C-alpha cells in the first residue's frame, strides 16, 4: 500500500520534504499540495511528480485522496491544521514548532487525548541523527556514568535582519530543548539566559550570541551557546559529561582537502546539509510506522513541552532571571 501524503505549506522545508517523499522514501508519494502562494504550490506539485493543488490546507486535509498530512507552513498556522487532521482522524507530521503558543499546544494534546489514539508527530529530526543516537547509546550503556552536564553549541553562518533575539529561543534553541529532554529523559524545570558580549557582525537589535542554561528535574544542566552570525558555516556540537566519562557528537565530515601545509575539512553550509540524512530517517520512520498502523515519532506532548520551555525562555531573555517551568498533567495517552 502506498501512503498518499498531502503537504500543507510548500516553502523551503515543504519542498525539501516533498523531494524526499517523492524520491527516496519507501511506501509513500505526494499527491496533494496547498500553500497560500498558489504559484509556489504549483511549482512544488511539479517537483514531486504531479500532485493536485488544493485551494487551501483545510480542503486538502478533508480530501479522500489524502491518507496522511505533512504540515510545513509557517508556525502560526500549525495549530489550525493539526487540529483539522485530528478532527478528520488523519495522521499528521507537523514541522517544529507544534504551535508557537502553549495555549495552542494544550488544545492539540487535549484534542488528541479525546480522540484516544496518537495521530500527531513533531519534526524534531535531531533524534534521528546518527551522532546524537550514539551519544544516547553511550548514556544507556552506562559507560559514561550518571549524566551531569550537557554542553550544546548551535552556530549559524548568518541570519536575515528579520531574525530577533526571541527567535534565538523559539526558532533555534527549541532544537536543543528537545535534544536535552530526549537525551536525558527528563523534563526541563528552569531556564536562565545570560547575554554574552555581542558580535559586531549582527544587526543592532539582535543579541548575538545568546547563552542559555536549562536545568532538568534531577538538576542536570544543559547549556546552549547559540550564535546566529558566526560567519563560517553551520556548526552543531554536543558533549554529555557523565560521572565516569563523556560522550560527544562527532560532526560528519563532508570531505577534507590537503594542500600546502594544511589539512582542511569542509563545514556544512546550513541545516539542510548537516541534517539531511536525519530528515530522511525521520520521515521514513513515520511512513513505515503508518504502514504498520503505528504512529512513530516525537509526540504532541513532546511538541507541547518544547514550546512550554521556549515560551518561558522568551520571558527569561527579557528578564535575565532564572525562570521556573511548570507543566500541565500528562494525559494518559502520552505516559
Ligand atoms: P517558508 O519557506 O516561509 O515556507 C512556509 C510556506 O507556508 C510559505 O510558502 C508560506 O507563504 C506558506 N504559508 C503561510 N501561511 C499559510 C497558510 N495559512 N496555509 C498554507 N501555507 C501557508 O518556511 P520554512 O523555512 O519552510 O519553514 C516552515 C516550517 O518548518 C516552520 O514552522 C519552521 O520552523 C519549520 N522548519 C523546521 C526545520 C527543522 O530543522 N526541523 C527547518 C526549517 C524550517 P508566505 O511566504 O506567503 O507566508
Amino acid at each position: 500500500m502506498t501512503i498518499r501524503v498531502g503537504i500543507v505549506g510548500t516553502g523551503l522545508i515543504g519542498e525539501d520534504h516533498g523531494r524526499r517523499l517523492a524520491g527516496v522514501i519507501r511506501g509513500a508519494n505526494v499527491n496533494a499540495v496547498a500553500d497560500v502562494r498558489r504559484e509556489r504550490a504549483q511549482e512544488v506539485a511539479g517537483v514531486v511528480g504531479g500532485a493536485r493543488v488544493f485551494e487551501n490546507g483545510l480542503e486538502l486535509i478533508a480530501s479522500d485522496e489524502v491518507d496522511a498530512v505533512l504540515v510545513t507552513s509557517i508556525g502560526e498556522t500549525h495549530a489550525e491544521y493539526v487540529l483539522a487532521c485530528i478532527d478528520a482522524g488523519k495522521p499528521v507530521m507537523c514541522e517544529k514548532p507544534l504551535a508557537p503558543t502553549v495555549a495552542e499546544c494544550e488544545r492539540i494534546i487535549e484534542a488528541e487525548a479525546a480522540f484516544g489514539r496518537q495521530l500527531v508527530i513533531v519534526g524534531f529530526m535531531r533524534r534521528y541523527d546518527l551522532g546524537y543516537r550514539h551519544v544516547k547509546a553511550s548514556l544507556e550503556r552506562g559507560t559514561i556514568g550518571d549524566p551531569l552536564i550537557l554542553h550544546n553549541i548551535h552556530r549559524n553562518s548568518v541570519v536575515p535582519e528579520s531574525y530577533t533575539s526571541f527567535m534565538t529561543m523559539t526558532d533555534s534553541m527549541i532544537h536543543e530543548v528537545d535534544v536535552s529532554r530526549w537525551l536525558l529523559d527528563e523534563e526541563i524545570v528552569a531556564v536562565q539566559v545570560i547575554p554574552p558580549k555581542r558580535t559586531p557582525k549582527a544587526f543592532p537589535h539582535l543579541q548575538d550570541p545568546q547563552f542559555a542554561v536549562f536545568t532538568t528535574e534531577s538538576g542536570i544542566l544543559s547549556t546552549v551557546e547559540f550564535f546566529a552570525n558566526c560567519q563560517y558555516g553551520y556548526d552543531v556540537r554536543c558533549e554529555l559529561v557523565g560521572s565516569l566519562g563523556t560522550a560527544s557528537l562527532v560532526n560528519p565530515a563532508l570531505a577534507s582537502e590537503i594542500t600546502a601545509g594544511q589539512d582542511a575539512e569542509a563545514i556544512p553550509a546550513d541545516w539542510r546539509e548537516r541534517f539531511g540524512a536525519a530528515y530522511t530517517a525521520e520521515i521514513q520512520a513515520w511512513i513505515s510506522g503508518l504502514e504498520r498502523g503505528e504512529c512513530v515519532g516525537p509526540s504532541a506532548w513532546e511538541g507541547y513541552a518544547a514550546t512550554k520551555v521556549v515560551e518561558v525562555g522568551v520571558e527569561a531573555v527579557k528578564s535575565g532571571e532564572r525562570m521556573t517551568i511548570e507543566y500541565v498533567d500528562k494525559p494518559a495517552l502520552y505516559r
Side-chain angles (χ1 to χ4, degrees), residues 31 92 111 129 203 208 258 289 319:
N31 72 332
V92 52
D129 176 71
F203 294 104
D208 192 29
I258 299 178
S319 72

Side-chain angles (χ1 to χ4, degrees), residues 8-15 17 34-37 40 56-57 71-78 80-81 94-97 123-126 170-171 175 234 271-272 275 279 282:
V8 181
T10 48
L12 199 58
I13 206 163
E15 176 178 348
H17 286 348
D35 194 292
V36 283
R37 294 174 188 252
R40 181 68 191 140
N56 59 58
V71 175
T72 44
S73 46
I74 54 170
E76 291 72 14
T77 64
H78 289 184
E80 181 186 15
Y81 292 136
C94 178
E95 256 310 332
K96 66 86 187 161
F124 287 129
M125 78 298 179
R126 289 195 188 181
T170 57
D171 269 44
H175 282 297
Y234 184 73
W271 43 272
R272 290 191 288 178
F275 287 111
Y279 291 118
E282 159 191 62

Side-chain angles (χ1 to χ4, degrees), residues 198-248:
R198 292 177 182 219
T199 172
K201 294 286 189 187
F203 294 104
H205 67 79
L206 178 63
Q207 170 58 53
D208 192 29
Q210 187 70 283
F211 190 84
V213 181
F214 299 94
T215 309
T216 72
E217 288 161 294
S218 74
I220 302 166
L221 294 187
S222 176
T223 68
V224 186
E225 173 214 302
F226 176 70
F227 194 175
N229 292 281
C230 80
Q231 307 295 308
Y232 66 82
Y234 184 73
D235 189 5
V236 169
R237 306 182 197 184
C238 169
E239 181 181 22
L240 178 55
V241 181
S243 53
L244 299 173
T246 81
S248 297

Side-chain angles (χ1 to χ4, degrees), residues 285-307:
W286 179 50
I287 295 296
S288 300
L290 294 181
E291 287 180 315
R292 300 190 303 272
E294 294 169 19
C295 188
V296 175
S299 70
W301 175 265
E302 320 281 354
Y304 153 76
T307 293

Side-chain angles (χ1 to χ4, degrees), residues 142-164:
T143 41
I144 63 167
D146 296 335
L148 307 173
I149 305 172
L150 183 68
H151 295 292
N152 300 279
I153 288 175
H154 183 169
R155 297 184 187 138
N156 231 63
S157 192
V158 286
V159 291
E161 191 168 5
S162 54
Y163 194 92
T164 68

Side-chain angles (χ1 to χ4, degrees), residues 309-328:
V309 174
V310 299
E311 195 172 276
V312 178
V314 166
E315 295 308 310
V317 170
K318 291 179 194 163
S319 72
E321 303 290 319
R322 182 179 187 273
M323 317 274 298
T324 56
I325 303 166
E326 282 172 23
Y327 301 87
V328 292

Side-chain angles (χ1 to χ4, degrees), residues 61-204:
I61 291 165
S63 168
D64 288 344
E65 296 167 29
V66 172
D67 301 317
V69 179
L70 182 58
V71 175
T72 44
S73 46
I74 54 170
E76 291 72 14
T77 64
H78 289 184
E80 181 186 15
Y81 292 136
V82 170
L83 286 167
C85 289
I86 296 171
D87 265 357
K90 280 193 187 167
V92 52
M93 173 176 160
C94 178
E95 256 310 332
K96 66 86 187 161
L98 174 60
T101 68
V102 168
E104 288 169 305
C105 291
E106 287 179 4
R107 277 207 294 284
I108 291 170
I109 57 176
E110 279 162 21
E112 192 178 40
F115 182 78
R117 182 162 57 80
Q118 196 188 337
L119 291 171
V120 182
I121 72 160
V122 185
F124 287 129
M125 78 298 179
R126 289 195 188 181
R127 296 176 179 219
Y128 292 90
D129 176 71
L130 220 48
Y132 276 115
R133 288 179 97 91
H134 278 279
V135 172
K136 188 158 174 75
S138 287
L139 182 61
E140 287 171 353
R141 272 198 306 278
T143 41
I144 63 167
D146 296 335
L148 307 173
I149 305 172
L150 183 68
H151 295 292
N152 300 279
I153 288 175
H154 183 169
R155 297 184 187 138
N156 231 63
S157 192
V158 286
V159 291
E161 191 168 5
S162 54
Y163 194 92
T164 68
S165 298
F166 300 141
M167 287 164 77
T168 62
M169 198 46 79
T170 57
D171 269 44
S172 303
M173 287 196 206
I174 192 168
H175 282 297
E176 278 73 25
V177 165
D178 181 65
V179 156
S180 304
R181 297 183 59 259
W182 170 72
L183 276 177
L184 304 170
D185 202 16
E186 290 187 24
E187 293 298 357
I188 291 167
V189 294
V191 51
Q192 183 168 17
V193 180
I194 305 150
K197 182 175 177 177
R198 292 177 182 219
T199 172
K201 294 286 189 187
F203 294 104

